[in-house]
Amino acid sequence: AWKIWQDNHFGLASGRCHPRSLRHGRAFVSGWAGTGGGSPRLRVESAKEMVVDIEPGSGAVRVALKSWKDGSTEYATLYLPDRIVKYWRGGDAPKLGDGKSDWVIRAVVDNTLGIVPIVPFFNSYDDDMPNGESELTDVVHIADAINKLATDMMTTSEFHAMPRRWATGIEIPKGPEGRRLEAEVKAYWDKAVAGKTWLAGKDVAFGQFAAADLQNFVHAISMLSTQLAALAGLPPHYVGISHNNPASADAIRSAEASLVKRAQRKQRTFGEAWEDVMLLAFAVQDGTVPDDMGGIETVWKSAETPTVAQKADAAVKLHAEGIITTEQAQVDLGYSTEQRRIMRDAGNAALALQATAEVRERVAQAVAMMETLGVDDKIAFAAVGLILPPKGVGAGPNALAPPEG
């Protein structure tokens, strides 16, 4: 299963599947035989290109259709339990007898699996939502309101955030001279800045309106952001809501608890779908699902964000008490299957070197005893614990225990 996963680059592809399902309410994974007898080919499919028909009750996929466009040619693939039909039209596809461009069968492939080779990933799947629901459904209207307020704020800042000037008591002559002066005032009024000398006649006054205060928009956006965070289960600092006193680490983890629970529920839902994907892969590869695959389980990385020190401390304590094995401790710390294999091989090699070094040291002790004391080789090797004592000779009080293994 791990080889199939790696051969299809699903360490990266699975990261495309989950956001698509959360965003559109559904995503899909298709499976079929690989080229050259290699691993089954698995692909993540978008809801923008694929639609499925679900059988009520069982939830099995009865039929699926994928359509896409490449240049001026449109393609479509119809997935059925007994066959797969490929269509095309337009572009390079042949035209019908009347010259019109309509869907034409390009190929028909037998499907010996007996099932539609498509696994759906539904978000918030339920009887009244058989096609799933987007995670954004509850918050999209609030997001639209925030965008509207932000647009209004930018419009207001364009016209009212800067002080607007006024003047009274200016008498503009009538006739052509007046129209000329009025045009000049309109052309140069906005260019007048503080510090520039203005000349005027008797009873003329100048001033400016107060600048518009944009805080009403800021408060409204902040209030809507708080509601959005509550509906989406997001910690306040995720949507830019901050306070004068920075939150402690415990407060941040407490704020993330709701989001972590949502993520864990998604893991349970998507985990079942990933198990179906691997069962489909084995069915494609072997022609049938192995009998011992009933206990297959998806292993997820923790949705929480504890520090490395916290995770290591918990793993060490559980291992020291004998509650978990070294392998499980490594899993809890987030090491991948390949990383655990490398560590296991390195540990075995270290043990082998240690055992070899210990045997060599005992052999050297036995040789020294034979050379200095003149004892028999069997007695010397027995004295250092490399062999059992000869018949009739008991082990001395200081004899070393035989090396393990």
Side-chain angles (χ1 to χ4, degrees):
W2 183 248
K3 183 180 185 303
I4 294 173
W5 183 273
Q6 291 291 85
D7 288 347
N8 285 276
H9 307 289
F10 261 38
L12 175 64
S14 62
R16 295 198 305 268
C17 180
H18 301 150
R20 288 178 178 181
S21 178
L22 295 173
R23 183 169 59 247
H24 301 300
R26 55 198 174 275
F28 309 93
V29 172
S30 62
W32 199 243
T35 57
S39 293
R41 182 180 61 83
L42 303 176
R43 291 291 181 271
V44 175
E45 309 288 355
S46 171
K48 292 185 176 183
E49 295 181 344
M50 177 165 283
V51 63
V52 298
D53 178 39
I54 302 297
E55 184 179 43
S58 67
V61 179
R62 291 192 292 197
V63 62
L65 175 69
K66 177 183 177 180
S67 62
W68 70 100
K69 190 173 183 179
D70 185 4
S72 60
T73 307
E74 293 182 81
Y75 297 91
T77 302
L78 183 65
Y79 297 89
L80 298 168
D82 59 345
R83 66 190 184 280
I84 296 175
V85 186
K86 299 181 179 181
Y87 300 87
W88 61 342
R89 71 176 179 182
D92 300 329
K95 302 296 188 294
L96 297 179
D98 55 4
K100 295 182 178 179
S101 178
D102 204 349
W103 291 110
V104 178
I105 295 179
R106 184 163 56 105
V108 179
V109 180
D110 290 335
N111 180 8
T112 59
L113 299 175
I115 58 173
V116 176
I118 302 294
V119 177
F121 284 71
F122 290 126
N123 183 57
S124 301
Y125 176 82
D126 203 349
D127 292 338
D128 56 348
M129 291 183 294
N131 291 317
E133 184 182 41
S134 172
E135 200 72 10
L136 304 177
T137 300
D138 294 334
V139 299
V140 66
H141 301 300
I142 297 179
D144 288 342
I146 293 175
N147 291 335
K148 190 263 183 187
L149 286 170
T151 303
D152 291 346
M153 182 174 65
M154 298 301 294
T155 304
T156 302
S157 69
E158 182 73 20
F159 292 97
H160 303 292
M162 297 296 293
R164 300 177 70 83
R165 302 179 183 88
W166 54 264
T168 60
I170 298 178
E171 295 184 5
I172 299 177
K174 305 295 184 182
E177 181 66 15
R179 287 194 292 272
R180 183 186 66 80
L181 291 175
E182 186 175 356
E184 289 184 1
V185 169
K186 188 175 295 184
Y188 295 107
W189 177 260
D190 291 337
K191 296 183 179 180
V193 294
K196 186 174 183 179
T197 303
W198 288 2
L199 300 178
K202 183 182 178 182
D203 298 329
V204 175
F206 295 94
Q208 67 181 22
F209 295 105
D213 185 7
L214 303 179
Q215 286 300 312
N216 56 332
F217 295 104
V218 175
H219 293 321
I221 291 175
S222 178
M223 182 268 294
L224 289 175
S225 298
T226 303
Q227 292 184 352
L228 185 146
L231 284 173
L234 297 173
H237 60 275
Y238 276 32
V239 292
I241 301 175
S242 59
H243 304 282
N244 294 331
N245 297 324
S248 64
D250 290 337
I252 291 176
R253 280 194 295 273
S254 177
E256 292 178 345
S258 176
L259 183 61
V260 169
K261 289 298 182 183
R262 291 170 71 98
Q264 290 173 342
R265 287 195 290 269
K266 300 302 178 187
Q267 287 180 346
R268 285 196 295 269
T269 303
F270 293 155
E272 294 291 331
W274 282 122
E275 292 161 21
D276 291 341
V277 168
M278 298 314 298
L279 292 176
L280 171 63
F282 278 106
V284 170
Q285 177 176 267
D286 305 329
T288 181
V289 178
D291 295 335
D292 57 349
M293 295 296 289
I296 190 172
E297 179 184 5
T298 304
V299 179
W300 290 93
K301 185 178 291 186
S302 174
E304 298 176 306
T305 55
T307 63
V308 176
Q310 290 174 324
K311 293 168 62 177
D313 182 61
V316 168
K317 289 180 178 178
L318 292 172
H319 183 269
E321 295 296 328
I323 299 176
I324 61 176
T325 62
T326 301
E327 180 88 3
Q328 184 59 48
Q330 293 170 346
V331 171
D332 294 344
L333 290 175
Y335 292 107
S336 68
T337 303
E338 185 64 17
Q339 289 174 319
R340 297 199 302 272
R341 184 193 64 78
I342 292 174
M343 288 187 284
R344 185 166 56 250
D345 292 346
N348 292 337
L351 288 175
L353 289 175
Q354 180 180 354
T356 302
E358 182 180 353
V359 170
R360 287 177 177 173
E361 181 181 355
R362 295 194 182 200
V363 169
Q365 292 175 357
V367 172
M369 291 176 62
M370 289 187 291
E371 292 177 349
T372 57
L373 302 178
V375 297
D376 182 77
D377 57 350
K378 292 183 179 180
I379 294 178
F381 279 100
V384 296
L386 289 178
I387 64 172
L388 295 176
K391 187 176 181 180
V393 179
N398 298 322
L400 298 174
E404 185 177 356

